[in-house]
Amino acid sequence: MDHPPAPLTCRDTTYLVCGARDAALSPQQERQLAAHLAGCPSCQVASRQFARLFGQLDTLLARDEDADI
């Protein structure tokens, strides 16, 4: 008998948000993440902050690559 996966903790959510930068999440992970984010204002804020940080890192790294040319 299959048991539904346990709900994600805020810590689990942080790992998934960060991990999704380097590898695609499984459909189950995507559903779990979306469900947690829908009900956790703190993780919603953290997720937006990570997205902003990752965008800034991408911009900075692109500048470094341009300087090497």
Side-chain angles (χ1 to χ4, degrees):
M1 168 168 40
D2 277 340
H3 295 283
L8 293 179
T9 64
C10 293
R11 181 178 294 211
D12 295 333
T13 300
T14 300
Y15 292 140
L16 285 180
V17 168
C18 292
R21 176 169 165 75
D22 298 320
L25 299 179
S26 71
Q28 178 180 340
Q29 288 172 318
E30 288 178 2
R31 286 189 301 275
Q32 288 178 293
L33 181 59
H36 183 88
L37 289 174
C40 184
S42 296
C43 285
Q44 292 170 15
V45 170
S47 179
R48 287 191 300 271
Q49 289 172 334
F50 277 119
R52 201 167 30 252
L53 174 64
F54 294 151
Q56 291 169 341
L57 285 171
D58 289 341
T59 299
L60 181 62
L61 292 173
R63 275 192 239 153
D64 284 347
E65 288 176 5
D66 291 343
D68 290 340
I69 297 176

